[in-house]
Amino acid sequence: MVVELKKGSRVSGSERDRLAGDLRRRYDSGASIRALAESTGRSYGFVHRILSESGASLRGRGGATRRKAS
């Protein structure tokens, strides 16, 4: 279920709880924050904040790490 929101609209109360549950379920199933942001029409920061508020354990960024030059 993709929750379609108007860009910039305030999300609060039970609607926010429903959105948080949906986003967390999809994130825990492997969807990225960027993919969730795109599918809901919201920003990366908004989705990140909702996931944090819902208690989701956020994954690391992955990819190559930088090492101190020797």
Side-chain angles (χ1 to χ4, degrees):
M1 174 183 133
V2 175
V3 179
E4 191 62 40
L5 303 166
K6 288 184 197 158
K7 189 166 181 114
S9 64
R10 189 170 296 273
V11 183
S12 59
S14 63
E15 185 180 3
R16 189 177 185 97
D17 294 339
R18 224 175 12 256
L19 176 63
D22 181 46
L23 291 176
R24 183 171 180 181
R25 203 168 22 261
R26 291 168 54 199
Y27 183 76
D28 288 343
S29 295
S32 69
I33 294 177
R34 292 194 191 286
L36 294 173
E38 189 175 325
S39 71
T40 57
R42 301 305 294 228
S43 70
Y44 177 96
F46 176 85
V47 173
H48 186 279
R49 187 168 46 255
I50 291 282
L51 288 172
S52 295
E53 289 173 5
S54 74
S57 57
L58 301 176
R59 298 187 290 268
R61 291 182 53 171
T65 56
R66 295 179 185 206
R67 296 177 10 147
K68 187 175 180 181
S70 47

